Amino acid sequence: MTGGRKNGEWAVTAPTFVWLTLLFVIPTFLVFTIVFKPSDPYGGIGSGWTLRTLFSLGNPNYPAILWRTAWLSALTTALCLALAVPTGYCMARTDRRFRNTLLLLVIIPFMTSFLVRIFAWKVLLHPEGLIKRGLVLLGLAHSDTSLLYTPGAVLLVMVYTSLPFAILPVFAAAEKFDFHLIEAARDLGATHAGAFFRVFIPGISRALFTSVLVVLIPCLGSYVIPDVVGGPNSEMLGNKIAQRTFSDRNLPHASGLSAILTLAVLIPMVWVVLSQRKRETGGGGSILKDIV
Amino acid sequence: MADFLEIEDVSRHFRNIRAVDHVSLTVRKGEFYSLLGPSGCGKTTLLRMLAGFERPDTGRIRLDGRDITDLPPHKRTVNTIFQNYALLPHLTVRQNIAFGLQVQKKMPRKEIDEAVDRMLSLVQLESQADKKPGLLSGGQKQRVAVGRALILQPQVLLLDEPLAALDLKLRQKMLMELDLIHDQVGITFIYVTHDQGEAMSLSDRIAVMNNGRIEQVGKPAEIYEAPRSSFVAAFIGDTNFFEGQVLELVGDEYSRLNISGFADLVCFNDKKISAGNPVFLSIRPEKFHIGRNRPELSPKHNIVRGRVEDIIYLGGMTKYWVQAEGHKISITRQHSRFFLDEEPIRWNDDVWVWWHADDGFMLERYSEADENLVSLPPDASGTAETAQ
């Protein structure tokens, strides 16, 4: 009996396994390997092995860029969640007839090209753009301050592009959430806010985790947004990787930076999943099941 | 005893539906009070107004002399046991029971722990204390819900069909447990149900609701034996309805009735319905006697001739359907022994059916719902389902 079930499990998980191996494990492994290869002058990979790239990653510019990448991504994630949770909550509580309309409004940006939307922001934030002139008119900004090419602009556009990805999981969980539980908490003496934080937030915690992942990970690797609306003081790791690949044509160095990024995401995630598994004895499976 | 919970002229509309329509009730302290009615009759809306989840359009609600109409749920000394229990899935049994005390921050942590331990033992869940609700059985979940509410020592405990999710055997067990808990803690219970059996067996008093209104308030026996409307008569237990007219009053308390096909019926008429008025005569199936020989009867008995159309053996009793002068009469008889002394009644037997004048009651026709009851085929009009 047990043998048969084991075989069945293998059959079911085999496609996922093959998919992950081909598209994730092997490419990642290649990236990690190239770090230890010399670069060749034509932008390819030379033969033999070397530790040169590894030492060159100690470039004194990198810690600042790495730090900026981390805080911009973390702040984007935090702002997205802060906006997504009330939005998802309200959407789930609206009448069913309006709910689909609201959902459509969240999804509509996806129908326009990602690049076009970023360039639209460039127009809006431009010194002669609508937002800038409006702020100056209201006396909220000096006409000399630049909105564009700042970390603030990068943050704004990253929040804008990531927000739907944060809202959708929260909404999906909120829609399934049993709002009788909020009533029960209120009945037991919790205030509105108390019921929200003690019952609703724990109830959608898995969706929150999903939202964090789908916002944080693309943000860490973002490259187009800082390239278009950011300036030299808002460069992120993704820009450096692109620069090493396209301008310097130094693939091992680009691989080295990519490896740092990959490890920066993988190590905390593995830690979270493992600690989750330890906590949930009997609760069934890891949080990643919901995401993958 | 003074009125403890007063509901005064309370109404609630949803769009153009009158969920609760000018309801007034008073509940005494410590009473086990049931709101009984078919689904959609407004009983749950009334309960939600007591809990504070709905605001009445009109009217006031007073608890222990204090107006609580506009108080939010968390400020009311009223707790609810929800139909699906609404246990917090991310907390253990212990944390669920402690939840109310924790959010209200009324006492230090150590005292909360002690109170939770006492409550766990009252609801007999000590061994399940660290489990999450998802791992509990239906009966255990319900005990958590009871414990979670009682630990706050509410003045009134509201129960919203708490047994509906349980299977029959468990329901009977929990019924007895609820009764026991009510006796132990002595707080006022308001129990919403559509199950007349539950309401009958637990309640001190029952309010029967229909279409957002109270049809009748009374002790279980009053409601069963002397229903004030045809709705109550049909909803509480089975009954036979005969449509007719009052012919004349006989003495102080009786009337002669004209019902098509039946000659000369006498019925108890405590409501003093005067001659000429259309009425329903309602007689419970178990009040009839049935036999093949005509018995000697006092003048206060009525007797009619009929033919047995159907017999259903139900174990504890037997149900007969008798066709008599165009009326189909449902009769249930308990049998005292398996081997009867006389030959049992069989299909197509000609029988006599008789009943005492005091066992029938007359009801005035006054609501639309009553009209619906009459238009149904006679073999269905006696069952509770048709009232919904």
Side-chain angles (χ1 to χ4, degrees), chain B residues 128-193:
Chain B
Q128 317 289 328
D130 296 316
K131 281 190 188 168
K132 296 261 175 83
L135 297 172
L136 301 180
S137 70
Q140 288 169 335
K141 278 184 197 169
Q142 187 184 20
R143 289 209 289 265
V144 179
V146 170
R148 186 176 72 168
L150 287 181
I151 199 167
L152 299 169
Q153 300 176 323
Q155 286 184 290
V156 179
L157 186 68
L158 308 174
L159 301 101
D160 185 7
E161 308 231 9
L163 305 179
L166 305 178
D167 59 66
L168 182 67
K169 281 270 180 253
L170 193 55
R171 201 150 66 217
Q172 286 166 345
K173 185 167 168 278
M174 295 311 292
L175 213 59
M176 281 158 66
E177 281 190 26
L178 276 180
D179 206 15
L180 203 68
I181 287 172
H182 177 251
D183 291 346
Q184 278 177 1
V185 297
I187 55 179
T188 310
F189 277 38
I190 295 189
Y191 189 95
V192 158
T193 182

Side-chain angles (χ1 to χ4, degrees), chain A residues 181 183 186-188 190 198, chain B residues 48 53 74 79-80 90 104:
Chain A
L181 297 179
E183 281 187 351
R186 301 270 289 133
D187 189 73
L188 293 168
R198 281 169 172 271
Chain B
R48 289 172 61 79
F53 299 130
H74 67 279
N79 290 109
T80 311
H90 62 289
Q104 294 187 19

Side-chain angles (χ1 to χ4, degrees), chain A residues 93 95 97-98 177-192 194-195 197-203 205 279-283, chain B residues 15 48 51 53 72-76 78-82 84-91 96 99-105 135 148-149 152 158:
Chain A
R93 298 226 80 172
D95 196 79
R97 285 173 300 163
F98 300 117
F177 182 78
D178 179 7
F179 283 97
H180 286 118
L181 297 179
I182 300 255
E183 281 187 351
R186 301 270 289 133
D187 189 73
L188 293 168
T191 57
H192 271 299
F197 286 109
R198 281 169 172 271
V199 178
F200 180 69
I201 295 289
S205 61
R279 206 142 43 90
E280 275 180 36
T281 41
Chain B
R15 299 222 173 79
R48 289 172 61 79
F53 299 130
H74 67 279
K75 291 200 173 147
R76 298 188 184 204
V78 168
N79 290 109
T80 311
I81 292 173
F82 294 86
N84 56 2
Y85 313 132
L87 301 181
L88 303 175
H90 62 289
L91 301 179
N96 260 287
F99 185 87
L101 291 177
Q102 273 171 3
V103 292
Q104 294 187 19
K105 299 190 181 83
L135 297 172
R148 186 176 72 168
L152 299 169
L158 308 174

Side-chain angles (χ1 to χ4, degrees), chain A residues 70-129:
Chain A
W71 76 255
L72 268 176
S73 305
L75 198 55
T76 304
T77 311
L79 286 173
C80 279
L81 276 196
L83 292 169
V85 170
T87 311
Y89 179 87
C90 291
M91 280 168 72
R93 298 226 80 172
T94 5
D95 196 79
R96 203 165 273 281
R97 285 173 300 163
F98 300 117
R99 210 182 286 168
N100 288 335
T101 317
L102 289 177
L103 192 62
L104 193 72
L105 288 176
V106 171
I107 296 169
I108 271 180
F110 289 129
M111 295 175 186
T112 320
S113 150
F114 178 68
L115 266 178
V116 169
R117 282 182 286 138
I118 296 169
F119 275 101
W121 272 106
K122 195 169 182 170
V123 173
L124 285 170
L125 294 171
H126 193 266
E128 297 301 316

Side-chain angles (χ1 to χ4, degrees), chain B residues 233-253:
Chain B
F235 190 68
I236 312 289
D238 289 349
T239 196
N240 294 279
F241 282 120
F242 304 97
E243 203 178 357
Q245 213 176 13
V246 180
L247 275 183
E248 56 167 343
L249 299 178
V250 183
D252 271 354
E253 292 183 309

